[in-house]
Amino acid sequence: MFIVKFKADEGLAEILALYRPQRERAVQAFGVWARDKSAFRGLALDRVAYSGEALLIYDPRMDDRIPRPTLDEISQQLNASPFVRYADLDSIVQARSKAC
């Protein structure tokens, strides 16, 4: 899972604001918004934190690249996007998945 803070973008801000009252609609709208943006390949909106950061989850079934990108490569592609202020791998989620 990636923690992403987006730069100001009216359309995206509306999608993220929609998350609390209409989660499914916001998730679908994010998918439509991200569809033609290569930095977001394989990523879906999981939730929006109260801080305004989006939590994006990577689903390799939604990514047709071979070989599959590493988590570090996904983080780099997000941070290179003109829409992203910063993106970090959620280290708490990663630590839990390694412990299982």
Coordinates of all heavy atoms in Angstrom, one line a residue:
M1 N 0.9 -1.2 0.0 CA 0.0 0.0 0.0 C 0.9 1.2 0.0 O 1.9 1.3 0.6 CB -0.9 0.0 1.2 CG -1.9 1.1 1.2 SD -3.2 1.0 2.4 CE -3.8 -0.6 2.2
F2 N 0.5 2.2 -0.7 CA 1.2 3.5 -0.8 C 0.4 4.7 -0.3 O -0.8 4.8 -0.5 CB 1.6 3.8 -2.3 CG 2.4 2.7 -2.9 CD1 1.9 1.6 -3.5 CD2 3.8 2.9 -2.9 CE1 2.7 0.6 -4.0 CE2 4.6 1.9 -3.4 CZ 4.1 0.7 -4.0
I3 N 1.1 5.5 0.5 CA 0.5 6.7 1.0 C 0.9 7.8 0.0 O 2.1 8.1 -0.3 CB 1.1 7.1 2.4 CG1 0.8 5.9 3.3 CG2 0.5 8.4 2.9 CD1 1.5 6.0 4.6
V4 N -0.1 8.5 -0.6 CA 0.1 9.5 -1.6 C -0.6 10.8 -1.3 O -1.7 10.8 -1.0 CB -0.4 8.9 -3.0 CG1 -0.2 10.0 -4.1 CG2 0.2 7.6 -3.3
K5 N 0.2 11.8 -1.4 CA -0.3 13.2 -1.2 C -0.3 13.8 -2.6 O 0.7 13.9 -3.3 CB 0.5 14.0 -0.3 CG 0.0 15.4 -0.1 CD -1.3 15.4 0.7 CE -1.8 16.8 1.0 NZ -3.0 16.8 1.8
F6 N -1.5 14.1 -3.1 CA -1.6 14.7 -4.5 C -1.4 16.2 -4.5 O -1.8 16.9 -3.5 CB -2.9 14.3 -5.1 CG -3.0 12.9 -5.5 CD1 -3.6 12.0 -4.6 CD2 -2.5 12.4 -6.7 CE1 -3.7 10.6 -5.0 CE2 -2.6 11.1 -7.0 CZ -3.2 10.2 -6.2
K7 N -0.9 16.7 -5.6 CA -0.9 18.2 -5.8 C -2.3 18.6 -6.1 O -3.2 17.8 -6.4 CB 0.0 18.5 -6.9 CG 1.5 18.2 -6.7 CD 2.3 18.5 -7.8 CE 3.8 18.1 -7.5 NZ 4.7 18.4 -8.7
A8 N -2.5 19.9 -6.0 CA -3.9 20.5 -6.3 C -4.3 20.1 -7.7 O -3.6 20.4 -8.7 CB -3.9 22.0 -6.0
D9 N -5.5 19.5 -7.8 CA -6.1 19.2 -9.1 C -7.6 19.1 -8.8 O -8.0 18.3 -8.0 CB -5.5 17.8 -9.6 CG -6.2 17.4 -10.9 OD1 -5.7 17.7 -11.9 OD2 -7.3 16.7 -10.8
E10 N -8.3 20.0 -9.4 CA -9.7 20.1 -9.1 C -10.5 18.8 -9.2 O -11.2 18.4 -8.4 CB -10.4 21.1 -10.0 CG -10.3 22.5 -9.4 CD -11.2 23.5 -10.3 OE1 -12.3 23.2 -10.7 OE2 -10.6 24.6 -10.5
G11 N -10.3 18.1 -10.4 CA -11.0 16.8 -10.6 C -10.7 15.8 -9.6 O -11.5 15.1 -9.0
L12 N -9.4 15.7 -9.3 CA -9.0 14.7 -8.3 C -9.4 15.1 -6.9 O -9.8 14.2 -6.1 CB -7.4 14.5 -8.3 CG -6.9 13.4 -7.5 CD1 -7.5 12.1 -7.8 CD2 -5.4 13.3 -7.7
A13 N -9.4 16.3 -6.6 CA -9.8 16.8 -5.2 C -11.3 16.4 -5.0 O -11.7 16.0 -3.9 CB -9.6 18.3 -5.1
E14 N -12.1 16.6 -6.1 CA -13.5 16.2 -6.0 C -13.7 14.7 -5.7 O -14.5 14.3 -4.9 CB -14.3 16.6 -7.2 CG -14.4 18.1 -7.4 CD -15.1 18.5 -8.7 OE1 -15.8 17.6 -9.3 OE2 -14.9 19.6 -9.1
I15 N -12.9 13.9 -6.4 CA -12.9 12.5 -6.2 C -12.6 12.1 -4.8 O -13.3 11.3 -4.1 CB -12.0 11.7 -7.2 CG1 -12.5 11.9 -8.6 CG2 -11.8 10.3 -6.8 CD1 -11.6 11.5 -9.7
L16 N -11.5 12.7 -4.2 CA -11.1 12.4 -2.9 C -12.1 12.8 -1.9 O -12.3 12.2 -0.8 CB -9.7 12.9 -2.6 CG -8.5 12.4 -3.5 CD1 -7.2 13.0 -3.2 CD2 -8.4 10.9 -3.5
A17 N -12.7 14.0 -2.1 CA -13.7 14.5 -1.2 C -15.0 13.6 -1.2 O -15.7 13.6 -0.2 CB -14.1 15.9 -1.6
L18 N -15.2 13.0 -2.3 CA -16.4 12.1 -2.4 C -16.2 10.8 -1.6 O -17.2 10.1 -1.3 CB -16.5 11.8 -3.9 CG -17.7 11.0 -4.4 CD1 -19.0 11.7 -4.0 CD2 -17.6 10.7 -5.8
Y19 N -15.0 10.5 -1.2 CA -14.7 9.2 -0.6 C -15.6 9.0 0.7 O -16.1 7.9 0.8 CB -13.2 9.1 -0.2 CG -12.9 7.8 0.5 CD1 -12.8 6.6 -0.3 CD2 -12.8 7.7 1.8 CE1 -12.6 5.4 0.3 CE2 -12.6 6.5 2.5 CZ -12.5 5.3 1.7 OH -12.2 4.1 2.3
R20 N -15.6 9.9 1.6 CA -16.4 9.7 2.8 C -17.9 9.4 2.6 O -18.4 8.5 3.1 CB -16.2 10.8 3.8 CG -14.7 11.0 4.2 CD -14.5 10.6 5.7 NE -13.1 10.8 6.0 CZ -12.1 9.9 5.8 NH1 -12.4 8.8 5.2 NH2 -10.9 10.1 6.1
P21 N -18.5 10.3 1.9 CA -20.0 10.0 1.7 C -20.3 8.9 0.7 O -21.4 8.3 0.8 CB -20.5 11.4 1.2 CG -19.4 12.1 0.6 CD -18.2 11.6 1.3
Q22 N -19.5 8.7 -0.3 CA -19.8 7.7 -1.3 C -18.5 6.9 -1.7 O -18.0 7.1 -2.8 CB -20.4 8.4 -2.5 CG -21.7 9.1 -2.2 CD -22.3 9.7 -3.4 OE1 -21.9 9.5 -4.6 NE2 -23.3 10.6 -3.2
R23 N -18.1 6.0 -0.9 CA -16.8 5.3 -1.1 C -16.7 4.6 -2.4 O -15.8 4.8 -3.2 CB -16.6 4.3 0.0 CG -16.2 4.9 1.3 CD -16.0 3.9 2.4 NE -15.8 4.6 3.6 CZ -15.5 4.0 4.8 NH1 -15.4 2.7 4.8 NH2 -15.3 4.8 5.8
E24 N -17.7 3.8 -2.8 CA -17.6 3.0 -4.0 C -17.6 3.9 -5.2 O -16.8 3.7 -6.2 CB -18.9 2.1 -4.1 CG -18.8 0.9 -3.2 CD -19.9 -0.1 -3.4 OE1 -20.4 -0.2 -4.6 OE2 -20.3 -0.7 -2.5
R25 N -18.3 5.0 -5.2 CA -18.3 6.0 -6.3 C -16.9 6.6 -6.4 O -16.4 6.8 -7.5 CB -19.4 7.0 -6.1 CG -19.7 7.8 -7.3 CD -21.0 8.5 -7.2 NE -21.0 9.6 -8.2 CZ -21.5 10.7 -8.1 NH1 -22.1 11.0 -7.0 NH2 -21.5 11.6 -9.0
A26 N -16.3 7.0 -5.3 CA -15.0 7.6 -5.3 C -14.0 6.6 -5.8 O -13.1 7.0 -6.6 CB -14.6 8.0 -3.9
V27 N -14.0 5.4 -5.4 CA -13.1 4.3 -5.9 C -13.2 4.2 -7.4 O -12.2 4.1 -8.1 CB -13.3 3.0 -5.2 CG1 -12.5 1.9 -5.8 CG2 -12.9 3.2 -3.7
Q28 N -14.4 4.1 -7.9 CA -14.7 4.0 -9.3 C -14.2 5.2 -10.1 O -13.5 5.1 -11.1 CB -16.1 3.7 -9.6 CG -16.6 2.4 -9.2 CD -18.1 2.2 -9.3 OE1 -18.9 3.2 -9.5 NE2 -18.6 1.0 -9.1
A29 N -14.5 6.4 -9.6 CA -14.1 7.6 -10.2 C -12.6 7.7 -10.3 O -12.0 8.2 -11.3 CB -14.7 8.8 -9.5
F30 N -11.9 7.3 -9.2 CA -10.4 7.3 -9.2 C -9.9 6.4 -10.3 O -9.0 6.8 -11.0 CB -9.8 6.9 -7.8 CG -8.3 7.0 -7.8 CD1 -7.7 8.1 -7.6 CD2 -7.6 5.8 -8.1 CE1 -6.3 8.2 -7.6 CE2 -6.2 5.8 -8.1 CZ -5.6 7.0 -7.9
G31 N -10.5 5.2 -10.4 CA -10.1 4.3 -11.5 C -10.2 4.9 -12.9 O -9.3 4.7 -13.7
V32 N -11.3 5.6 -13.1 CA -11.5 6.3 -14.4 C -10.4 7.4 -14.6 O -9.8 7.5 -15.6 CB -12.9 6.8 -14.5 CG1 -13.1 7.7 -15.7 CG2 -13.9 5.7 -14.5
W33 N -10.2 8.2 -13.5 CA -9.2 9.3 -13.6 C -7.8 8.7 -13.9 O -7.1 9.3 -14.7 CB -9.2 10.1 -12.3 CG -8.2 11.1 -12.2 CD1 -8.3 12.4 -12.7 CD2 -6.9 11.0 -11.7 NE1 -7.2 13.1 -12.5 CE2 -6.3 12.3 -11.9 CE3 -6.2 10.0 -11.1 CZ2 -4.9 12.5 -11.4 CZ3 -4.9 10.2 -10.7 CH2 -4.3 11.5 -10.9
A34 N -7.5 7.6 -13.2 CA -6.1 7.1 -13.3 C -5.9 6.2 -14.6 O -4.7 6.0 -14.9 CB -5.8 6.2 -12.1
R35 N -6.9 5.8 -15.3 CA -6.8 4.9 -16.4 C -5.8 5.2 -17.4 O -5.0 4.4 -17.9 CB -8.2 4.7 -17.0 CG -8.2 3.7 -18.1 CD -9.6 3.5 -18.7 NE -10.6 3.2 -17.6 CZ -11.8 3.5 -17.6 NH1 -12.3 4.2 -18.6 NH2 -12.6 3.2 -16.6
D36 N -5.7 6.5 -17.8 CA -4.7 6.9 -18.9 C -3.4 7.5 -18.3 O -2.7 8.1 -19.1 CB -5.4 7.8 -19.9 CG -5.8 9.1 -19.2 OD1 -5.9 9.2 -18.0 OD2 -6.1 10.1 -20.0
K37 N -3.2 7.3 -17.1 CA -2.0 7.9 -16.4 C -1.1 6.7 -16.0 O -1.3 6.0 -15.1 CB -2.4 8.7 -15.2 CG -3.2 9.9 -15.7 CD -3.9 10.6 -14.5 CE -4.7 11.8 -14.9 NZ -5.9 11.4 -15.7
S38 N 0.0 6.6 -16.8 CA 0.9 5.4 -16.6 C 1.5 5.3 -15.2 O 1.7 4.1 -14.8 CB 2.0 5.5 -17.6 OG 2.9 6.6 -17.4
A39 N 1.7 6.3 -14.5 CA 2.2 6.2 -13.1 C 1.3 5.5 -12.2 O 1.7 5.0 -11.1 CB 2.5 7.6 -12.5
F40 N 0.0 5.3 -12.5 CA -1.0 4.7 -11.7 C -1.4 3.3 -12.1 O -2.4 2.8 -11.7 CB -2.2 5.6 -11.5 CG -1.8 6.9 -10.9 CD1 -1.5 8.0 -11.7 CD2 -1.7 7.1 -9.6 CE1 -1.1 9.2 -11.2 CE2 -1.3 8.3 -9.0 CZ -1.0 9.4 -9.8
R41 N -0.6 2.7 -13.1 CA -0.9 1.4 -13.6 C -0.9 0.4 -12.4 O 0.0 0.3 -11.7 CB 0.0 1.0 -14.6 CG -0.1 1.7 -15.9 CD 0.9 1.4 -16.9 NE 0.8 0.1 -17.5 CZ 1.7 -0.4 -18.3 NH1 2.7 0.3 -18.7 NH2 1.5 -1.6 -18.8
G42 N -2.0 -0.4 -12.3 CA -2.1 -1.4 -11.3 C -2.5 -0.9 -9.9 O -2.6 -1.7 -9.0
L43 N -2.7 0.4 -9.8 CA -3.0 1.0 -8.5 C -4.5 1.4 -8.4 O -5.1 1.8 -9.4 CB -2.2 2.2 -8.2 CG -0.7 1.9 -8.0 CD1 0.1 3.2 -8.2 CD2 -0.5 1.3 -6.7
A44 N -5.1 1.1 -7.2 CA -6.5 1.5 -7.0 C -6.6 2.2 -5.7 O -5.8 2.0 -4.8 CB -7.3 0.2 -7.0
L45 N -7.6 3.1 -5.6 CA -7.8 3.8 -4.3 C -8.4 2.9 -3.3 O -9.4 2.2 -3.5 CB -8.8 4.9 -4.6 CG -9.2 5.8 -3.4 CD1 -8.0 6.6 -2.9 CD2 -10.3 6.8 -3.8
D46 N -7.7 2.8 -2.2 CA -8.2 1.9 -1.1 C -9.0 2.8 -0.1 O -10.0 2.4 0.3 CB -7.0 1.3 -0.4 CG -7.4 0.3 0.7 OD1 -8.1 -0.7 0.4 OD2 -7.1 0.6 1.9
R47 N -8.4 3.9 0.3 CA -9.1 4.8 1.2 C -8.4 6.2 1.2 O -7.3 6.3 0.7 CB -9.2 4.3 2.6 CG -8.0 4.0 3.3 CD -8.2 3.4 4.7 NE -7.0 3.1 5.4 CZ -6.3 2.0 5.3 NH1 -6.6 1.1 4.4 NH2 -5.2 1.8 6.0
V48 N -9.1 7.1 1.8 CA -8.6 8.5 2.0 C -8.5 8.8 3.5 O -9.5 8.7 4.2 CB -9.5 9.5 1.3 CG1 -8.9 10.9 1.5 CG2 -9.6 9.2 -0.2
A49 N -7.3 9.2 3.9 CA -7.1 9.5 5.3 C -7.7 10.8 5.6 O -7.9 11.7 4.8 CB -5.6 9.4 5.6
Y50 N -7.9 11.1 6.9 CA -8.4 12.4 7.3 C -7.4 13.5 7.0 O -7.8 14.6 6.8 CB -8.7 12.4 8.8 CG -10.0 11.6 9.1 CD1 -9.9 10.4 9.7 CD2 -11.2 12.1 8.8 CE1 -11.1 9.7 10.0 CE2 -12.4 11.4 9.1 CZ -12.3 10.2 9.7 OH -13.4 9.5 9.9
S51 N -6.1 13.2 6.8 CA -5.1 14.1 6.5 C -5.2 14.6 5.0 O -4.5 15.5 4.6 CB -3.7 13.5 6.7 OG -3.5 12.4 5.9
G52 N -6.0 13.8 4.2 CA -6.2 14.1 2.8 C -5.3 13.2 2.0 O -5.3 13.3 0.7
E53 N -4.4 12.4 2.6 CA -3.6 11.5 1.8 C -4.4 10.4 1.3 O -5.3 9.9 2.0 CB -2.4 11.0 2.7 CG -1.5 12.1 3.1 CD -0.5 11.6 4.2 OE1 -1.0 10.9 5.1 OE2 0.7 11.9 4.1
A54 N -4.1 9.9 0.1 CA -4.8 8.8 -0.4 C -3.9 7.5 -0.2 O -2.7 7.6 -0.2 CB -5.0 8.9 -1.9
L55 N -4.6 6.4 0.1 CA -3.9 5.2 0.3 C -4.3 4.3 -0.9 O -5.4 4.0 -1.2 CB -4.3 4.5 1.6 CG -3.6 5.1 2.8 CD1 -4.4 6.3 3.3 CD2 -3.4 4.1 3.9
L56 N -3.2 4.1 -1.7 CA -3.4 3.3 -3.0 C -2.9 1.9 -2.8 O -1.8 1.7 -2.2 CB -2.7 4.0 -4.1 CG -3.0 5.5 -4.4 CD1 -2.2 6.0 -5.6 CD2 -4.5 5.6 -4.6
I57 N -3.6 0.9 -3.3 CA -3.1 -0.4 -3.2 C -2.8 -0.9 -4.6 O -3.4 -0.6 -5.6 CB -4.2 -1.3 -2.6 CG1 -3.7 -2.7 -2.2 CG2 -5.5 -1.4 -3.4 CD1 -4.5 -3.4 -1.1
Y58 N -1.7 -1.7 -4.7 CA -1.2 -2.3 -5.9 C -1.8 -3.6 -6.1 O -1.8 -4.5 -5.3 CB 0.3 -2.3 -6.0 CG 0.8 -2.9 -7.3 CD1 0.7 -2.2 -8.5 CD2 1.3 -4.2 -7.3 CE1 1.2 -2.8 -9.7 CE2 1.8 -4.8 -8.5 CZ 1.7 -4.1 -9.7 OH 2.1 -4.6 -10.8
D59 N -2.4 -3.8 -7.3 CA -3.0 -5.1 -7.7 C -2.3 -5.6 -9.0 O -2.6 -5.0 -10.0 CB -4.5 -5.0 -7.9 CG -5.2 -6.3 -8.2 OD1 -4.5 -7.3 -8.5 OD2 -6.4 -6.4 -8.1
P60 N -1.5 -6.5 -8.9 CA -0.7 -6.9 -10.1 C -1.7 -7.5 -11.2 O -1.3 -7.4 -12.4 CB 0.2 -8.0 -9.6 CG -0.3 -8.4 -8.3 CD -1.1 -7.3 -7.7
R61 N -2.9 -7.9 -10.9 CA -3.8 -8.3 -11.9 C -4.3 -7.2 -12.8 O -4.8 -7.4 -13.9 CB -5.0 -9.0 -11.3 CG -4.6 -10.3 -10.5 CD -5.8 -10.8 -9.7 NE -6.1 -9.8 -8.7 CZ -7.1 -9.9 -7.9 NH1 -7.9 -10.9 -7.9 NH2 -7.3 -9.0 -7.0
M62 N -4.1 -6.0 -12.3 CA -4.5 -4.8 -13.1 C -3.3 -4.2 -13.9 O -3.5 -3.1 -14.4 CB -5.1 -3.7 -12.1 CG -6.4 -4.1 -11.4 SD -7.0 -3.0 -10.2 CE -6.4 -1.4 -10.6
D63 N -2.2 -4.8 -13.8 CA -1.0 -4.3 -14.5 C -0.5 -5.4 -15.5 O -0.1 -6.5 -15.1 CB 0.0 -4.0 -13.4 CG 1.2 -3.3 -13.9 OD1 1.4 -3.2 -15.1 OD2 2.0 -2.8 -13.1
D64 N -0.4 -5.0 -16.7 CA 0.0 -6.0 -17.7 C 1.5 -5.9 -18.0 O 2.0 -6.6 -18.9 CB -0.7 -5.8 -19.0 CG -0.6 -4.4 -19.6 OD1 0.1 -3.5 -19.0 OD2 -1.1 -4.1 -20.7
R65 N 2.3 -5.2 -17.2 CA 3.7 -5.1 -17.5 C 4.4 -6.4 -17.1 O 4.1 -7.0 -16.0 CB 4.4 -4.0 -16.7 CG 3.9 -2.6 -17.2 CD 4.5 -1.5 -16.4 NE 3.8 -1.4 -15.1 CZ 4.0 -0.5 -14.2 NH1 5.0 0.4 -14.3 NH2 3.3 -0.5 -13.1
I66 N 5.4 -6.8 -17.9 CA 6.2 -8.0 -17.6 C 7.6 -7.6 -17.8 O 8.0 -7.1 -18.9 CB 5.8 -9.2 -18.5 CG1 4.4 -9.6 -18.2 CG2 6.8 -10.3 -18.2 CD1 3.9 -10.7 -19.0
P67 N 8.5 -7.7 -16.8 CA 8.2 -8.2 -15.5 C 7.5 -7.2 -14.7 O 7.4 -6.0 -15.0 CB 9.6 -8.4 -14.9 CG 10.5 -7.5 -15.6 CD 9.9 -7.3 -17.0
R68 N 6.8 -7.7 -13.6 CA 6.1 -6.8 -12.7 C 7.1 -5.8 -12.0 O 8.2 -6.2 -11.7 CB 5.4 -7.6 -11.7 CG 4.4 -8.6 -12.2 CD 3.0 -7.9 -12.4 NE 2.1 -8.9 -12.7 CZ 1.4 -8.9 -13.9 NH1 1.6 -8.0 -14.8 NH2 0.5 -9.9 -14.1
P69 N 6.6 -4.6 -11.8 CA 7.5 -3.6 -11.1 C 7.6 -4.0 -9.7 O 6.7 -4.6 -9.1 CB 6.8 -2.3 -11.3 CG 5.3 -2.7 -11.5 CD 5.3 -4.0 -12.2
T70 N 8.8 -3.6 -9.1 CA 9.0 -3.8 -7.7 C 8.2 -2.7 -6.9 O 7.8 -1.7 -7.5 CB 10.5 -3.7 -7.3 OG1 10.9 -2.4 -7.6 CG2 11.3 -4.8 -8.1
L71 N 8.1 -2.8 -5.6 CA 7.4 -1.8 -4.8 C 8.2 -0.5 -4.9 O 7.7 0.6 -5.0 CB 7.3 -2.2 -3.4 CG 6.3 -3.4 -3.2 CD1 6.3 -3.8 -1.7 CD2 4.9 -3.1 -3.7
D72 N 9.6 -0.6 -4.9 CA 10.4 0.6 -5.0 C 10.2 1.3 -6.4 O 10.1 2.5 -6.5 CB 11.9 0.3 -4.9 CG 12.2 0.0 -3.4 OD1 11.5 0.4 -2.5 OD2 13.3 -0.7 -3.2
E73 N 10.1 0.5 -7.5 CA 9.8 1.1 -8.8 C 8.4 1.8 -8.8 O 8.3 2.8 -9.4 CB 9.9 0.0 -9.9 CG 11.3 -0.5 -10.1 CD 11.4 -1.7 -10.9 OE1 10.4 -2.5 -11.0 OE2 12.5 -2.0 -11.5
I74 N 7.5 1.2 -8.2 CA 6.1 1.8 -8.2 C 6.2 3.1 -7.4 O 5.7 4.1 -7.8 CB 5.1 0.9 -7.5 CG1 4.9 -0.4 -8.4 CG2 3.8 1.6 -7.3 CD1 4.1 -1.5 -7.8
S75 N 6.9 3.1 -6.3 CA 7.1 4.4 -5.5 C 7.8 5.4 -6.3 O 7.4 6.6 -6.3 CB 7.9 4.0 -4.2 OG 8.0 5.2 -3.4
Q76 N 8.8 5.0 -7.1 CA 9.5 6.0 -8.0 C 8.6 6.5 -9.1 O 8.6 7.7 -9.4 CB 10.7 5.3 -8.6 CG 11.8 5.0 -7.6 CD 13.0 4.2 -8.2 OE1 13.0 4.0 -9.4 NE2 13.8 3.7 -7.3
Q77 N 7.8 5.7 -9.7 CA 6.9 6.1 -10.7 C 5.9 7.1 -10.2 O 5.5 8.1 -10.8 CB 6.3 5.0 -11.5 CG 5.1 4.3 -10.8 CD 4.7 3.0 -11.6 OE1 5.4 2.4 -12.3 NE2 3.4 2.7 -11.4
L78 N 5.4 6.8 -9.0 CA 4.4 7.7 -8.4 C 5.1 9.1 -8.1 O 4.5 10.1 -8.4 CB 3.9 7.1 -7.1 CG 2.8 6.0 -7.2 CD1 2.6 5.4 -5.9 CD2 1.6 6.5 -7.9
N79 N 6.2 9.1 -7.5 CA 6.9 10.3 -7.2 C 7.3 11.1 -8.4 O 7.5 12.3 -8.3 CB 8.1 10.1 -6.3 CG 7.7 9.9 -4.8 OD1 7.1 10.8 -4.2 ND2 7.9 8.7 -4.3
A80 N 7.4 10.5 -9.5 CA 7.8 11.2 -10.8 C 6.5 11.8 -11.5 O 6.7 12.6 -12.4 CB 8.4 10.2 -11.8
S81 N 5.4 11.4 -11.0 CA 4.1 11.9 -11.6 C 3.9 13.4 -11.3 O 4.1 13.8 -10.2 CB 2.9 11.1 -11.1 OG 1.7 11.8 -11.4
P82 N 3.5 14.2 -12.3 CA 3.2 15.6 -12.0 C 2.0 15.8 -11.1 O 1.8 16.9 -10.6 CB 3.0 16.1 -13.4 CG 2.5 15.0 -14.2 CD 3.2 13.8 -13.7
F83 N 1.2 14.8 -10.8 CA 0.1 14.9 -10.0 C 0.4 14.7 -8.5 O -0.4 14.9 -7.6 CB -1.0 13.9 -10.4 CG -1.5 14.1 -11.8 CD1 -1.1 13.4 -12.8 CD2 -2.4 15.2 -12.1 CE1 -1.5 13.6 -14.1 CE2 -2.9 15.4 -13.4 CZ -2.4 14.6 -14.4
V84 N 1.6 14.1 -8.2 CA 1.9 13.7 -6.9 C 2.9 14.6 -6.2 O 3.9 14.9 -6.8 CB 2.5 12.2 -7.0 CG1 3.0 11.8 -5.6 CG2 1.5 11.3 -7.5
R85 N 2.6 15.0 -5.0 CA 3.5 15.8 -4.2 C 4.5 14.9 -3.5 O 5.7 15.1 -3.5 CB 2.7 16.5 -3.1 CG 3.5 17.4 -2.2 CD 2.7 18.3 -1.4 NE 1.8 19.0 -2.4 CZ 1.3 20.2 -2.2 NH1 1.6 20.9 -1.1 NH2 0.5 20.7 -3.1
Y86 N 4.0 13.7 -3.0 CA 4.9 12.7 -2.4 C 4.2 11.4 -2.4 O 2.9 11.4 -2.3 CB 5.5 13.0 -1.1 CG 4.5 13.2 0.0 CD1 4.0 12.1 0.7 CD2 4.1 14.5 0.4 CE1 3.1 12.3 1.7 CE2 3.2 14.7 1.5 CZ 2.7 13.6 2.1 OH 1.8 13.7 3.1
A87 N 4.9 10.3 -2.4 CA 4.4 9.0 -2.3 C 5.4 8.1 -1.5 O 6.6 8.2 -1.8 CB 4.1 8.4 -3.7
D88 N 4.9 7.4 -0.5 CA 5.7 6.6 0.3 C 5.1 5.2 0.4 O 3.8 5.1 0.5 CB 5.9 7.1 1.7 CG 6.8 8.4 1.7 OD1 7.9 8.3 1.0 OD2 6.4 9.4 2.3
L89 N 5.9 4.2 0.5 CA 5.4 2.9 0.8 C 4.9 2.9 2.3 O 5.6 3.4 3.1 CB 6.5 1.8 0.6 CG 6.1 0.4 0.7 CD1 5.0 0.0 -0.3 CD2 7.3 -0.5 0.4
D90 N 3.7 2.3 2.5 CA 3.2 2.3 3.9 C 4.0 1.2 4.7 O 3.8 0.0 4.5 CB 1.7 2.0 3.9 CG 1.1 2.1 5.3 OD1 1.9 2.0 6.3 OD2 -0.1 2.2 5.4
S91 N 5.0 1.6 5.4 CA 5.9 0.7 6.1 C 5.2 -0.2 7.1 O 5.6 -1.3 7.4 CB 7.1 1.4 6.7 OG 6.6 2.4 7.7
I92 N 4.1 0.3 7.7 CA 3.4 -0.5 8.7 C 2.7 -1.7 8.0 O 2.8 -2.8 8.5 CB 2.3 0.4 9.5 CG1 3.1 1.4 10.3 CG2 1.4 -0.5 10.3 CD1 2.1 2.5 10.9
V93 N 2.1 -1.4 6.9 CA 1.4 -2.5 6.2 C 2.5 -3.5 5.7 O 2.3 -4.7 5.8 CB 0.6 -1.9 5.0 CG1 0.2 -3.1 4.1 CG2 -0.6 -1.2 5.5
Q94 N 3.6 -3.0 5.2 CA 4.7 -3.9 4.7 C 5.2 -4.7 5.8 O 5.5 -5.9 5.6 CB 5.8 -3.1 4.0 CG 6.8 -4.0 3.3 CD 7.7 -3.3 2.4 OE1 7.6 -2.1 2.2 NE2 8.6 -4.0 1.8
A95 N 5.4 -4.1 7.0 CA 6.0 -4.9 8.1 C 5.0 -6.0 8.5 O 5.4 -7.1 8.8 CB 6.3 -4.0 9.3
R96 N 3.7 -5.7 8.5 CA 2.7 -6.7 8.9 C 2.7 -7.9 7.9 O 2.6 -9.0 8.2 CB 1.3 -6.1 8.9 CG 1.1 -5.3 10.1 CD -0.4 -4.9 10.2 NE -0.6 -3.8 11.1 CZ -1.5 -2.9 11.0 NH1 -2.3 -2.9 10.0 NH2 -1.5 -1.9 11.8
S97 N 2.8 -7.6 6.6 CA 2.8 -8.6 5.6 C 4.0 -9.5 5.6 O 4.0 -10.7 5.3 CB 2.6 -8.0 4.2 OG 3.7 -7.3 3.8
K98 N 5.2 -8.9 6.0 CA 6.4 -9.7 6.2 C 6.3 -10.6 7.4 O 6.9 -11.7 7.4 CB 7.6 -8.8 6.3 CG 8.0 -8.2 4.9 CD 9.2 -7.3 5.1 CE 9.6 -6.7 3.7 NZ 10.7 -5.8 3.8
A99 N 5.6 -10.2 8.4 CA 5.5 -11.0 9.7 C 4.6 -12.2 9.5 O 4.7 -13.2 10.2 CB 5.0 -10.1 10.8
C100 N 3.7 -12.1 8.5 CA 2.7 -13.2 8.3 C 3.3 -14.4 7.6 O 4.2 -14.4 6.9 CB 1.5 -12.7 7.6 SG 0.6 -11.5 8.5

